[in-house]
Amino acid sequence: MAAQRIFAMPFADVYPLYIAKVERKGHSKEDVDTVTRWLTGYDQDGLEAAVDERVDFETFFDQAPRLNPNASLITGVICGVRVEEIDDPLMQKIRYLDKLVDEVARGKKMSSILRGDDVAIPGGGR
């Protein structure tokens, strides 16, 4: 199953691809970190530890401090599938992150990407 291969893939293998994608469009690693922390509740140290420890996607989301309660507001199509219609909870979380990174790359305003959250999280979680 392709999904199981994605679940076992180290987050650290995909993370630099996210960064490269947004940097090609004139955005920064900090933007990727901001949306990742917003979605998962990791602080910057926790995010960096997950990358350094090469945890897989399943562990990355299982160990996430908390999924943002506004994650369900992330809608749209990623990889030809509507994220709000994905049945598997882990795959949906992965695609939520993909969608957020896509929005950064497209230059969407951070306040819109973070679904109206007033609190910027430049250095860490809440």
Side-chain angles (χ1 to χ4, degrees):
M1 296 281 222
Q4 290 173 336
R5 280 186 292 174
I6 293 170
F7 297 167
M9 182 180 297
F11 175 73
D13 288 355
V14 179
Y15 179 68
L17 301 175
Y18 289 152
I19 294 167
K21 179 177 189 167
V22 302
E23 286 179 342
R24 278 193 307 271
K25 301 291 186 164
H27 303 284
S28 68
K29 172 191 177 296
E30 290 75 23
D31 294 331
V32 172
D33 290 354
T34 297
V35 299
T36 304
R37 291 191 318 261
W38 176 87
L39 178 63
T40 62
Y42 280 106
D43 61 16
Q44 190 64 32
D45 289 340
L47 176 57
E48 290 172 8
V51 172
D52 291 344
E53 294 167 14
R54 297 188 51 76
V55 299
D56 59 35
F57 266 108
E58 186 169 17
T59 303
F60 178 75
F61 281 104
D62 282 349
Q63 293 180 352
R66 56 141 184 82
L67 189 68
N68 191 296
N70 287 336
S72 63
L73 299 176
I74 301 169
T75 60
V77 176
I78 191 81
C79 298
V81 178
R82 297 203 65 82
V83 294
E84 62 271 26
E85 296 175 0
I86 297 172
D87 291 328
D88 185 281
L90 178 56
M91 182 59 77
Q92 188 174 51
K93 292 172 191 171
I94 293 168
R95 294 307 184 198
Y96 280 160
L97 184 55
D98 291 344
K99 184 69 176 166
L100 294 174
V101 171
D102 279 357
E103 291 176 355
V104 169
R106 286 197 329 261
K108 193 171 180 182
K109 289 175 32 177
M110 192 59 73
S111 61
S112 295
I113 295 171
L114 302 182
R115 300 332 193 238
D117 277 359
D118 295 335
V119 180
I121 37 181
R126 295 181 182 179

